[in-house]
Every structure is written in C-alpha cells, then in structure tokens.
Amino acid sequence: MNIDIRQATAKDLADITSLFRDTVSTINTKHYNAKQITVWASGSDETETWLERISDLYFIVAEIDAVIVGFAYLKKGYYLDGLFVHKDYQRQGIASSLLRTIESQVIAEEFPEIRSDVSKTALPFFENKYYDIVKKQKKSFKGLVFENYIVKKIL
Ligand SMILES: CC(C)(COP(=O)(O)OP(=O)(O)OC[C@H]1O[C@@H](n2cnc3c(N)ncnc32)[C@H](O)[C@@H]1OP(=O)(O)O)[C@@H](O)C(=O)NCCC(=O)NCCS
C-alpha cells in the first residue's frame, strides 16, 4: 500500500473538511462526550478558516490511490496544529507518514523542537513517536472545556 504525501490545495477543501468531521464524530467519541464532539466536529463548516490554513500554513495531505486518507498542518513553523486520519484508514501508518514529513519540515526550517496540543485519543500515537508530555491541560473552546495534552519532541 503506497501512501503519497503532497501539499494541500484549495481543491482539497471538501475532502479535508468531511474527513475531519467524520473522524471527530467517530474516532474521538471514545474520549469526548456528545456535546464536545458536536462542537468540535462543527469546525468542519468554517470554510474560510480551512482555506486560510491551506493557503497560509504548511498543510499536507496523505493519499492512497488518489483518495485523501489523512492530513496535517504546521503553524509558526514548529507547532503541529492538526493531524487527522480518515476513520476507515486508522492504524495503517498514515499518521506516521504524515508526521515524518511534518518533522522533516520543522528540521528544514531549523527549529529545535516540535510542539502540539493533542487529544486524549491521539496521545498513545505521540507517545509511540517519543513525544514528551509538557502538561495536561483544560482548554476552553466555544464554551466547553476539552482536556488535552501539550507535547513536544526535540528534533
Ligand atoms: C491519532 C491518529 C492521528 C493516529 O493515526 P494512525 O494513522 O491510525 O496512526 P499510525 O497507524 O501511524 O500509528 C502508529 C503507531 O502509533 C500507536 N497508536 C496509534 N493509534 C493508537 C491508539 N489508538 N492506541 C494505542 N496506540 C496507538 C501505535 O503504536 C501505532 O503502531 P501500530 O498500529 O503498529 O501498533 C488517528 O487515530 C486519528 O485521526 N485520531 C483522531 C483525530 C485526533 O485526535 N487527532 C489529533 C488531534 S489533536
């Protein structure tokens, strides 16, 4: 199975936002309640924000046979702001592949470390990639509190 990584374009918008909505609405339900999932998934409707992320940030997608199966994007050159894998393609090495490309980009830009705020769902993945927990935090988002973790890795 070949995983291809490329930079996202505005044409990928619909695939990216539906993948985001579907993954949050299925995979993240193990760790967040129904209210939190509804609010989080509704972020898929913020078309302008997604278009800005695609055009302004380092934003990559993973494809298998030309189907988008994951995406990731970096803010400020060293902050991983999003990493999502298609609900039907979990545990197939797609996030590993995306993270390798993201970390290479951070190194290429000569930042000494990468950081992220990661969900409870994603924590085991980042621990598997040797990220350290900086702290567990409660983050307010649209009037709800989400527990997540700040993680980092020296590159
Ligand atoms: C977290 C996420 C991105 C991982 O994507 P993935 O493509 O399934 O991850 P990989 O297949 O590359 O996993 C690599 C290794 O990480 C570890 N890992 C990944 N998911 C794990 C899980 N749910 N539980 C335990 N270990 C896990 C495993 O060691 C895995 O290797 P293995 O499958 O050979 O055991 C994916 O589950 C996801 O999209 N989650 C929902 C969205 C989310 O919370 N994103 C983070 C936003 S902050």
Side-chain angles (χ1 to χ4, degrees):
M1 187 186 58
N2 240 12
I3 303 169
D4 300 310
I5 306 287
R6 64 165 172 84
Q7 262 183 267
T9 75
K11 285 186 196 151
D12 302 319
L13 176 71
D15 289 341
I16 287 169
T17 54
S18 58
L19 185 156
F20 170 82
R21 188 190 54 237
D22 293 347
T23 293
V24 170
S25 307
T26 52
I27 306 301
N28 292 105
T29 53
K30 288 181 210 115
H31 301 97
Y32 296 91
N33 67 37
K35 252 187 178 173
Q36 290 171 316
I37 292 295
T38 304
V39 165
W40 190 2
S42 73
S44 64
D45 300 331
E46 291 166 8
T47 304
E48 280 311 310
T49 305
W50 286 100
L51 283 172
E52 274 170 28
R53 286 178 183 141
I54 291 168
S55 70
D56 299 350
L57 305 180
Y58 181 73
F59 197 130
I60 54 173
V61 294
E63 288 182 320
I64 294 177
D65 296 334
V67 172
I68 293 181
V69 291
F71 68 84
Y73 55 96
L74 266 182
K75 243 185 189 169
K76 299 185 217 158
Y78 69 92
Y79 177 77
L80 175 65
D81 198 32
L83 173 66
F84 291 84
V85 168
H86 192 296
K87 66 178 177 52
D88 299 333
Y89 291 81
Q90 299 277 316
R91 300 296 284 267
Q92 296 183 34
I94 293 160
S96 301
S97 196
L98 284 162
L99 192 64
R100 267 197 300 278
T101 305
I102 288 281
E103 288 179 353
S104 300
Q105 175 69 11
V106 177
I107 291 168
E109 296 210 4
E110 299 187 352
F111 288 98
E113 66 175 38
I114 181 167
R115 282 192 173 236
S116 190
D117 281 18
V118 306
S119 66
K120 286 190 264 181
T121 318
L123 188 64
F125 167 77
F126 284 94
E127 288 182 324
N128 175 261
K129 303 298 174 196
Y130 306 104
Y131 281 64
D132 294 323
I133 298 175
V134 176
K135 72 169 179 176
K136 188 176 179 180
Q137 64 175 1
K138 291 192 162 100
K139 215 174 167 181
S140 291
F141 179 64
K142 296 191 177 172
L144 294 179
V145 175
F146 289 76
E147 217 171 74
N148 68 12
Y149 298 85
I150 301 178
V151 297
K152 73 166 184 183
K153 180 173 160 181
I154 307 291
L155 296 172

